[in-house]
Amino acid sequence: MADGIHYSVEDGIALLSVDNPPVNALSRAARVGLAAGLDRAEADPAIRGIVLAGTGNTFPAGADLAEYETGMAKPFLRDLCNRVEACSKPVVAALHGTVYGGGFELALAAHYRVARAGTRVSLPEVRMGLTPSAGATQRLPRLAGAELALELALAGGTMPLDRGPGRQLVDDLVDDNLLGTAANLARALADDGTPPRRTRDLRDGMADHAAFTTAIRARRDTLSAAPDSAAARVIDLIEASALLPFDAGVAMEEDAFAACLASDAARALRHAFTAEHLARRFNLPKGTPAGEVNRIAVLGPGPLAMQIAVSALNAGIGVNWGAREPEKLTEGVAQLRDVFSAGVKGGGLSPSQSAARLDLLHWGESAEMIPGTDIVLHAARGQGDVAAPEGTVRAVAMSGRVDRLGLRFAPPVFATRLVEVVQGPEGTPAEVALGLALAERMNKVAVHVRSQGASIAGRLAAAMHRAADALVDLGADPYDLDAAVEAWGWARPPFRTRDMSGLEDLARAPRAEGAENWSALMIEVGRRGWISGNGFYDWADGGAERAASVRRLLNGQRTVRDWAADDMVELLVGAMANEGARMLAEGMVRRPSDIDAVAILALDFPRLRGGPMMAVGLWGMLRIMKRLERLDHPDRDFWTPVPAWGEHVKYGRTFLSR
């Protein structure tokens, strides 16, 4: 058979298995091979049924995302799904792993589905600004109703098939012998003469018309996205499944997908989606042992240690929490228990789940907590010289110098998905692999950083604030700048954000001669931020209010100038992209997409914009470079575009060009 497709026959059943690691993506070659395999099985009178499967860790887990950029080619996935559904012989999909996107659409087109326990399905397209493209919005509601279809297609998350609503999507569940069970089902159907059960012909999910329309209306009423967004289109498509013939609904889905695919928002969302997945590829030397983490030691009292412990326990990792003076942990352990109690009260955890997680926690004196753990995390000062067995891997989780390994968790640790795995000057690939393993176990997106302790998030945030101060130097109103950033879609504007986090650290940030650190000025006049009730803003029970006294203070020290909102946003984001380019040139980070992933996950940069490296490419590399060059500000070293910027412009590339 074609590359990536295995074809075999046993007792009248043809097995077509996709072998396209790492996730068995349904590339054009895979689609061609599957179509050829179906033709071969249909034409052979000795074949009575067909099983679709995937080798390795998963059933085909989606489309080849590279085709979204290079152009789709026939046979399209919808053509393959229609071919599967039209097959005259029973087709059974044997599901295992995580069945994403196009792979799930292929499974829906099969006549029957058998799944291994633990299998999960997902329609993540909306997270990339797209609708499904191979009939999922028409088949899924016919099979299981509007509510389940809307949940899968709008949330973009995964759903287990062995329990809850997902159970109705499969005909059988097995713990082992998946292929044998699927083949036996296909054989039994053929022996009984059962005609193919085509999902397009089902109406089971639409039997309760009132429930179907209520689910549609409820989702539409709560939707905040634009009418032409992928999410809005998904709702329209699922509604259409009950109103239009199947082929008309699929044609409507095809049009919606094409419209979304062409938009800048979808390009940015696709980039954000792939950036998170690419970040996990650390490119460690061949032969580096894969790390394994089952129990960690977290050393030091305080909020950071507590948050790391909660996040690890939630992931099923054992935690030994230590301090030189164990009594200092008493309050933190009580807070940790309160977190799990709140989870039970809120319904997110059952009492047994909470108890099982707390059973994984031990706490005591620092040195006693290290033996038996796979990695030691220093989460507070004063723990670096705690004795440990030879070969113990230590990671610095707090800010500061990193000689070997650092783990920079985006705060709050138990609510965010990012950890920067920092390889210090003396760090080894094996240590980095262990940091990656811990991040994966904690369900975090890991990004590989090479530095002496600096993080990507820290440098991007510093650049954003430095640029914001420079714009105020040049006459911009800080409140207008915040408003422009928010209107652009970024919910963390610079001046309100620094008020919320406190101004002391930013007040110490260096500025060039002739440039002002406006946070330092606020500190001088006793305005320390939200914690003191006033900073750049006045803070009251109703939130942040513009402070007339601050505006008068600033205006007395510079020439006021009206700035267009777009100009301020482009300069702010352009400065962040320029800082990203510096990090790339220094070898601190390997891929521009890693910078965008960090901006989105740690700084809440809007996914619809794709990150600073993506944004400047969408605006135009030459235009933004010229903006930075022409800005008349004394901090020239900061604003001058790095040489790589000009090289990209010269050859018509963006930072993300391959």
Side-chain angles (χ1 to χ4, degrees):
M1 288 296 298
D3 289 345
I5 303 296
H6 300 307
Y7 183 102
S8 61
V9 177
E10 184 175 344
D11 194 16
I13 302 299
L15 171 63
L16 276 72
S17 185
V18 179
D19 184 5
N20 184 22
V23 295
N24 293 325
L26 291 167
S27 63
R28 181 179 182 276
R31 299 194 300 271
V32 168
L34 282 172
L38 289 165
D39 290 343
R40 177 176 171 182
E42 281 250 82
D44 187 346
I47 300 298
R48 295 183 294 155
I50 301 166
V51 171
L52 302 178
T55 64
N57 294 327
T58 187
F59 188 82
D64 183 349
L65 297 184
E67 288 191 72
Y68 291 158
E69 306 301 331
T70 60
M72 311 293 285
K74 294 183 177 181
F76 301 124
L77 183 58
R78 62 178 174 274
D79 300 330
L80 177 63
C81 289
N82 290 338
R83 176 71 186 85
V84 167
E85 194 168 51
C87 192
S88 62
K89 300 175 181 181
V91 180
V92 179
L95 309 178
H96 75 293
T98 302
V99 185
Y100 277 108
F104 185 33
E105 298 202 76
L106 180 66
L108 290 170
H111 304 143
Y112 296 86
R113 287 157 293 280
V114 176
R116 182 180 295 158
T119 302
R120 305 177 75 86
V121 296
S122 173
L123 289 173
E125 287 84 357
V126 73
R127 293 176 55 197
M128 296 179 279
L130 301 173
T131 69
S133 65
T137 63
Q138 305 305 298
R139 291 189 176 94
L140 189 52
R142 283 171 163 80
L143 179 64
E147 188 169 351
L148 184 146
L150 289 163
E151 176 62 25
L152 273 168
L154 292 176
T158 61
M159 179 177 289
L161 295 181
D162 52 6
R163 62 187 184 277
R167 181 65 182 84
Q168 62 190 301
L169 300 177
V170 292
D171 300 283
D172 199 3
L173 281 166
V174 298
D175 291 321
D176 52 25
N177 194 25
L178 174 64
L179 296 181
T181 303
N184 288 339
L185 175 58
R187 196 174 293 113
L189 292 166
D191 290 344
D192 292 345
T194 303
R197 184 190 64 184
R198 297 187 172 96
T199 311
R200 62 178 290 156
D201 298 330
L202 298 179
R203 303 290 292 183
D204 301 22
M206 301 168 178
D208 188 339
H209 179 71
F212 194 98
T213 55
T214 297
I216 294 289
R217 189 182 308 115
R219 285 288 185 161
R220 187 169 280 136
D221 288 347
T222 59
L223 184 70
S224 58
D228 61 347
S229 68
R233 292 175 188 270
V234 162
I235 296 174
D236 293 342
L237 290 166
I238 291 174
E239 181 180 42
S241 70
L243 304 174
L244 300 177
F246 179 82
D247 290 332
V250 168
M252 182 177 170
E253 182 188 81
E254 180 183 344
D255 289 343
F257 176 80
C260 289
L261 185 65
S263 70
D264 281 349
R267 287 181 61 194
L269 286 168
R270 289 198 303 277
H271 168 66
F273 182 85
T274 55
E276 291 183 17
H277 290 268
L278 284 173
R280 296 181 170 98
R281 302 179 187 177
F282 273 29
N283 195 36
L284 297 174
K286 190 173 182 179
T288 300
E292 183 175 350
V293 177
N294 295 304
R295 179 167 286 276
I296 65 174
V298 181
L299 301 186
L304 175 60
M306 191 272 286
Q307 291 180 32
I308 293 171
V310 169
S311 187
L313 293 171
N314 278 331
I317 302 170
V319 174
N320 290 3
W321 190 1
R324 289 185 182 276
E325 300 173 60
E327 61 273 12
K328 291 187 176 180
L329 297 179
T330 304
E331 183 179 351
V333 170
Q335 291 174 345
L336 182 149
R337 294 182 185 277
D338 288 343
V339 169
F340 288 109
S341 295
V344 173
K345 290 178 182 178
L349 282 178
S350 69
S352 61
Q353 288 174 321
S354 175
R357 294 177 190 189
L358 288 171
D359 283 345
L360 293 171
L361 174 67
H362 302 152
W363 59 287
E365 198 275 327
S366 290
E368 295 175 358
M369 291 295 102
I370 294 178
T373 61
D374 300 303
I375 186 171
V376 176
L377 276 63
H378 294 272
R381 309 288 174 193
Q383 303 291 322
D385 61 347
V386 175
E390 186 176 353
T392 298
V393 175
R394 299 174 183 258
V396 179
M398 58 202 173
S399 62
R401 181 178 175 82
V402 171
D403 292 317
R404 303 192 68 87
L405 180 65
L407 295 174
R408 297 287 187 261
F409 293 90
V413 179
F414 45 69
T416 56
R417 297 190 300 123
L418 175 76
V419 58
E420 297 185 47
V421 180
V422 180
Q423 183 175 2
E426 301 170 23
T428 67
E431 290 169 329
V432 172
L434 197 62
L436 171 62
L438 175 59
E440 296 282 2
R441 276 295 309 271
M442 294 175 72
N443 302 310
K444 304 285 188 183
V445 176
V447 176
H448 189 188
V449 178
R450 289 180 172 85
S451 78
Q452 294 183 353
S455 69
I456 299 171
R459 286 188 58 171
L460 286 177
M464 183 263 288
H465 288 296
R466 189 169 176 177
D469 275 359
L471 289 170
V472 174
D473 290 343
L474 297 174
D477 183 283
Y479 308 118
D480 289 346
L481 175 55
D482 274 7
V485 168
E486 285 190 286
W488 188 67
W490 195 356
R492 288 177 60 177
F495 291 101
R496 197 174 73 227
T497 297
R498 63 173 78 175
D499 262 9
M500 290 292 292
S501 60
L503 300 180
E504 283 84 356
D505 287 344
L506 275 171
R508 292 190 289 269
R511 295 289 184 263
E513 184 177 352
E516 292 290 338
N517 183 319
W518 296 105
S519 294
L521 178 61
M522 292 298 104
I523 294 288
E524 285 179 20
V525 297
R527 302 179 70 95
R528 296 166 43 231
W530 169 82
I531 194 169
S532 67
N534 50 44
F536 285 90
Y537 291 83
D538 288 332
W539 291 87
D541 291 342
E545 298 177 359
R546 298 184 178 193
S549 61
V550 168
R551 183 176 276 143
R552 288 193 298 271
L553 177 64
L554 298 181
N555 291 351
Q557 305 204 25
R558 82 262 162 81
T559 301
V560 177
R561 170 186 164 190
D562 286 333
W563 280 80
D566 288 349
D567 291 346
M568 291 189 289
V569 171
E570 289 182 2
L571 283 166
L572 192 76
V573 175
M576 294 174 69
N578 202 36
E579 187 68 17
R582 286 191 192 94
M583 288 187 270
L584 288 164
E586 294 166 8
M588 177 178 169
V589 59
R590 180 166 162 248
R591 285 177 294 252
S593 61
D594 289 352
I595 295 166
D596 284 343
V598 170
I600 291 167
L601 294 171
L603 306 181
D604 290 336
F605 198 94
R607 295 184 72 88
L608 275 169
R609 305 296 183 177
M613 311 307 280
M614 177 73 172
V616 296
L618 291 175
W619 283 327
M621 293 286 288
L622 176 60
R623 186 164 70 84
I624 302 303
M625 184 181 79
K626 290 299 181 184
R627 272 195 179 284
L628 301 182
E629 286 178 341
R630 293 168 181 163
L631 190 72
D632 186 15
H633 186 268
D635 198 357
R636 287 316 309 157
D637 287 345
F638 174 70
W639 287 103
T640 300
V642 300
W645 199 310
E647 287 296 303
H648 285 294
V649 168
K650 179 179 178 180
Y651 294 103
R653 300 191 305 252
T654 70
F655 286 121
L656 300 168
S657 296
R658 296 173 182 169

